[in-house]
Each structure stands twice: as C-alpha cells, then as structure tokens.
Amino acid sequence: MCIRDRVNMKKDLIILIMSRMIQISASLISLRLMTTLLSENELGTYYLFISLYMFASLSVFNPYGQYINRNTYKWRRGGDLLSWLNKYIIFVMLFSVFFSIAWGGYQYFFHKGMSLLLAVIFCAYFVFITVNQFLLYTLNILDNRLIFSFLTILTAILGVLGSLFLLHFNLFDINKTYLWLLGIIIANFLSYAIAWIFLRRSENSPPNGNVEPVNYRDILDFCIPCLLYTSPSPRDTE
C-alpha cells in the first residue's frame, strides 16, 4: 500500500469518526429535548410508532436492501444501479402504504380517530427515513465518504432544528409527537434529494441501453432467510 493510499485511509477514518460523533451528539440532544418537550403520553405514542417502524424495517425493508447492497458494485459497473434503487424505492412506498393503513386502523379502533394528515406523516416517515438511510449507506459502500458524512451530519442537525421549529410554531395544530416526526421527515427528505442527485450524476450508462432483468427467484432465495433471521421472535417480546 502506497503512502498516498494510507493518507487517504486516515482522512476517511477521521471524517467518519467526526461525522459519527456529531450524529451521536445530535441524537443525545434530540432525546433530551423530547423528554423535556413531550408529555408521557406523547412519548409513549412516539416509542410505539418507532417500534412499529423498526419491525417493518427489520422484517421487510432490510432483507431487500441487503440484496441490493450485495450487488451494488456489480450494478454500478454495469450502469444498472439507479434502476435497482428505483425498484427499492417503489417497494418501500408500497409497503409504507400498507403499514400506514395498519397504523390508521390501530388509531381508529383504539383511539377513536385518525386524520388524513397523520396517515400521510406516518407513510412519509417510513418512506423517507428508509430510503435516505439506504442511499447514505450506498454512498458509503461506494467510497463516497465525504458526501456520506456531510449528509449524515445534515440529517441529524436538521432533524433536531426542524422538529424544534415545528413544535414552537405548531403550524398544523396536531399532536406534538407527529410534529417532531415531521421535522425528522423534512430533514431526511432533503438529504435523500441530495444523495439521489449525486448518485444520478455519477451513474454509468448501461451498455447498449440494456438493463439486467429481475430474477425474482434469486431475490426470494436471498431475502426469505434474511427475513426469518432478523424478524423478532417470541422470546424477544418476553
């Protein structure tokens, strides 16, 4: 390994450590602000929401995301990466609608009410947090350390500031939990837009305009074991 490569590795390591430290600091500040500004009932709603999101992320979104990550370098070289990222986004959107309906049913039957705005916030959270985090991870494994670190920091800081802004002005006159989530959604949407533009501009064109066909059997053979391994077991809920 030459001296230049070692210097670049050290720079990448420093950038990643600094971005992680800032992200952790922002998370701790966010946690402190939530426990100060939200009531016990609102915090309960927030953690219930996050639990449902984590279940969906681990059991549904994560397996397909891992399948794409496994082939990222191959598709990047062949110019197919954006096509597969589009498939992933559509997949996330479809299942986000399903989980939003499930959340709406829970709110309607157990809390006697569910507005359209709250359903949209729920769906948007699933879509933009999942897609943004996936694109950031894709940038990282493609060795785009600087843009990955920048967007990680941007998401963390804007998430806190956006939530505080919405809580302060209460523009939509809804539960504070959903205002807090809306701030996080806005931050992730902005980061997602920048990441997508960056990936689009750096994408290779597929040879002869041919895109690799979808092998559904290969996808299922990979995703089903991942789903069974990562899904919460009865023991986890005891």
Side-chain angles (χ1 to χ4, degrees), residues 76-80 203-209:
R76 179 64 176 270
R77 289 194 300 269
D80 296 328
E203 173 73 345
N204 298 321
S205 299
N208 302 320

Side-chain angles (χ1 to χ4, degrees), residues 140-222:
N140 190 32
I141 63 178
L142 290 174
D143 298 325
N144 297 301
R145 303 279 188 263
L146 188 59
I147 186 67
F148 163 76
S149 300
F150 169 74
L151 291 179
T152 299
I153 295 171
L154 181 71
T155 302
I157 294 177
L158 286 184
V160 176
L161 294 178
S163 297
L164 285 176
F165 176 84
L166 292 171
L167 280 177
H168 179 72
F169 291 100
N170 196 10
L171 301 178
F172 301 103
D173 192 26
I174 57 176
N175 187 298
K176 289 181 180 179
T177 302
Y178 298 104
L179 289 173
W180 189 271
L181 293 172
L182 186 57
I184 297 173
I185 291 169
I186 294 172
N188 277 267
F189 171 76
L190 293 174
S191 175
Y192 150 74
I194 297 172
W196 179 257
I197 292 172
F198 182 88
L199 287 167
R200 187 183 183 91
R201 289 182 175 178
S202 59
E203 173 73 345
N204 298 321
S205 299
N208 302 320
N210 296 325
V211 177
E212 180 179 328
V214 178
N215 187 333
Y216 294 103
R217 178 62 182 272
D218 187 44
I219 294 173
L220 292 175
D221 287 344
F222 180 87

Side-chain angles (χ1 to χ4, degrees), residues 93-109:
M93 291 176 64
L94 291 175
F95 273 91
S96 296
V97 171
F98 169 78
F99 283 111
S100 298
I101 293 173
W103 175 259
Y106 167 81
Q107 290 290 328
Y108 180 81
F109 288 108

Side-chain angles (χ1 to χ4, degrees), residues 13-47:
L13 183 60
I14 292 173
I15 290 172
L16 290 174
I17 291 175
M18 290 181 62
S19 66
R20 180 60 65 181
M21 290 177 63
I22 295 173
Q23 185 183 28
I24 293 173
S25 299
S27 298
L28 292 174
I29 293 172
S30 175
L31 181 61
R32 176 60 179 172
L33 290 171
M34 277 197 306
T35 55
T36 301
L37 299 174
L38 303 183
S39 66
E40 291 184 4
N41 289 336
E42 290 166 341
L43 281 174
T45 301
Y46 175 82
Y47 287 121

